Amino acid sequence: MSTGSPDPAPLTVALVKAGRTKIRYPAEPVADDGTRITVRAPWAAPGVRDFGFVRFEPGDVFTEHFWRDRWYAVKEVRTGAGQLKGWYCDITRPAVLRGSELLVEDLDLDLWVSADGSSVLRLDEDEFEESGLAGSDPLAAEAAVRALDELEHLARTEGLAALLR
């Protein structure tokens, strides 16, 4: 990490959804410039998750980018052999680092971008509507939709790799 420590301590990523911890997993810090925190972690869920457009499976490696000032996280997904599968983007509240825990609140909306950029899929818009966020926190709901629109536009024009430089 750019903090100057020679051997940064591992972090725990805590993904929270609707007030409950959805998943917690260890991650290796890669960089922290004060705004964006980048970590690397193996696929943390048990077994294989087949979405139809991509399979996440044991051995996959996620390089995850979280921002303290943006409403999304971008996760570059590679096989254990290093082949790029694509980018899975979570729409979230800005990330908060508390000690060795990176707290990320998932707001249901997601975006998938294939490795070659030919497939850009908006995901879980029905779950977002059902969450009631638009009624309970309309400003957060608006920020979430703007973030999804921004990521989709970027994916269809410059590509997400431009965001991660």
Side-chain angles (χ1 to χ4, degrees):
M1 285 185 17
S2 59
T3 58
S5 67
D7 200 9
L11 295 175
T12 298
V13 177
L15 187 62
V16 176
K17 188 172 180 176
R20 293 188 186 147
T21 301
K22 183 176 171 183
I23 191 169
R24 293 172 58 84
Y25 54 92
E28 170 195 344
V30 174
D32 183 351
D33 66 7
T35 302
R36 183 174 78 189
I37 302 166
T38 302
V39 301
R40 188 167 296 119
W43 168 240
V48 173
R49 181 131 185 231
D50 190 340
F51 290 93
F53 50 86
V54 67
R55 285 170 50 101
F56 296 158
E57 49 203 334
D60 286 351
V61 177
F62 288 64
T63 302
E64 305 178 349
H65 306 270
F66 301 94
W67 284 264
R68 292 176 172 96
D69 63 349
R70 297 184 189 181
W71 288 71
Y72 53 76
V74 176
K75 302 170 181 184
E76 181 186 273
V77 185
R78 293 184 177 272
T79 66
Q83 180 182 6
L84 180 65
K85 289 185 173 188
W87 295 269
Y88 195 91
C89 307
D90 286 320
I91 303 304
T92 67
R93 291 184 189 268
V96 176
L97 183 61
R98 290 190 185 131
S100 64
E101 182 177 69
L102 185 59
L103 182 62
V104 184
E105 186 178 345
D106 186 342
L107 298 177
D108 293 308
L109 294 171
D110 299 302
L111 186 77
W112 169 254
V113 181
S114 63
D116 65 2
S118 65
S119 178
V120 178
L121 304 173
R122 292 171 74 109
L123 306 170
D124 302 329
E125 290 177 298
D126 54 339
E127 287 181 30
F128 178 73
E129 288 299 319
E130 292 168 10
S131 75
L133 188 64
S136 63
D137 191 345
L139 294 178
E142 289 172 18
V145 171
R146 274 194 314 272
L148 181 62
D149 291 344
E150 176 187 334
L151 281 174
E152 181 181 16
H153 175 75
L154 188 59
R156 293 184 185 280
T157 56
E158 300 171 50
L160 293 182
L163 176 68
L164 306 176
R165 287 189 194 121

